[in-house]
């Protein structure tokens, strides 16, 4: 009788970012954009702030490397790559392009595995607003204003504050964001080129597509 061959180790993607809620959004989003069968997704607890530390990236990237490898070891898994979230706190203009290029270059130079940067302009809520039909699935009293649908959301300042003011009752909280993305994915609204418009979202989708 032949000895049993050990099974292949599972692969994981690690998600890191500025808040647990933003990482929760990414955990719902990544499988909808991933090119092929998506590996398991794990979250590391380190609050990594990259966009606000543009000239001090090396120690932060090194911390990401160590934390991601430690998470993979704890899971007994092969680390496929890391997705890193950062709020731009700015719109998709020339400064956005510079910040994205600098962070992406540093990630690729400092990490021995794949990386994708979820640099959200202005905030992650600017990504959620591309999927207006998802909001009432979470809270029936919610509805995005018609004049906000179809806007260039990459040029939309302070979307979180805007949702708090205009979405309806109950008042929007950041903790609602993972469920909104869950509903957007569940109802088939999410793709690399959704009907909504936010270039920072498209940049992330394109980068993740390159993992194929």
């Amino acid at each position: 009788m032949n000895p049993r061959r050990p099974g292949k180790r599972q692969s994981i993607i690690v998600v890191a970012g500025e808040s647990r809620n933003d990482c929760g959004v990414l955990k719902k989003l990544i499988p909808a954009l991933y090119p092929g069968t998506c590996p398991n997704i794990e979250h590391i607890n380190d609050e990594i702030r990259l966009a606000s530390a543009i000239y001090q990236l090396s120690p932060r990237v090194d911390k990401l490397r160590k934390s991601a490898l430690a998470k993979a070891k704890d899971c007994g898994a092969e680390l496929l790559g890391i997705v890193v979230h950062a709020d731009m706190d700015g719109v998709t203009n020339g400064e956005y392009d510079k910040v994205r290029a600098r962070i992406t270059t540093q990630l690729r130079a400092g990490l021995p595995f794949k990386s994708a940067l979820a640099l959200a302009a202005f905030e992650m809520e600017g990504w959620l607003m591309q999927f207006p039909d998802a909001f009432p699935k979470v809270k029936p009293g919610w509805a995005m204003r018609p004049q906000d649908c179809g806007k260039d959301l990459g040029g939309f300042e302070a979307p979180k504050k805007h949702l708090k003011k205009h979405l309806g009752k109950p008042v929007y909280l950041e903790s609602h964001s993972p469920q909104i993305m869950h509903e957007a994915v569940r109802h088939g609204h999410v793709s690399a080129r959704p009907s909504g418009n936010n270039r920072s979202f498209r940049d992330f989708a394109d980068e993740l597509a390159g993992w194929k």
Side-chain angles (χ1 to χ4, degrees), residues 125-174:
E125 281 74 12
W127 289 14
L128 298 177
M129 288 175 71
Q130 297 179 107
F131 314 109
D133 292 340
F135 288 90
K137 297 291 193 301
V138 177
K139 301 291 180 182
W142 283 355
M144 275 181 54
R145 302 187 310 173
Q147 61 266 41
D148 294 332
C149 300
K151 274 188 173 181
D152 176 9
L153 295 165
F156 199 95
E157 293 191 3
K160 186 182 303 180
K161 182 178 179 180
H162 184 86
L163 289 178
K164 287 178 180 290
K165 183 176 181 180
H166 296 294
L167 188 59
K169 300 296 182 181
V171 174
Y172 169 79
L173 301 174
E174 187 180 336

Side-chain angles (χ1 to χ4, degrees), residues 192-211:
R193 295 293 184 272
S195 56
N197 179 18
N198 190 321
R199 183 163 69 87
S200 68
F201 176 91
R202 297 197 305 271
D203 287 343
F204 169 65
D206 289 348
E207 191 168 6
L208 192 62
W211 286 22

Side-chain angles (χ1 to χ4, degrees), residues 51 55 59 64 89 101 112 127 134 167 169 175 189 195:
Y55 298 109
L64 278 173
D89 292 335
W127 289 14
L167 188 59
K169 300 296 182 181
S175 57
H189 302 310
S195 56

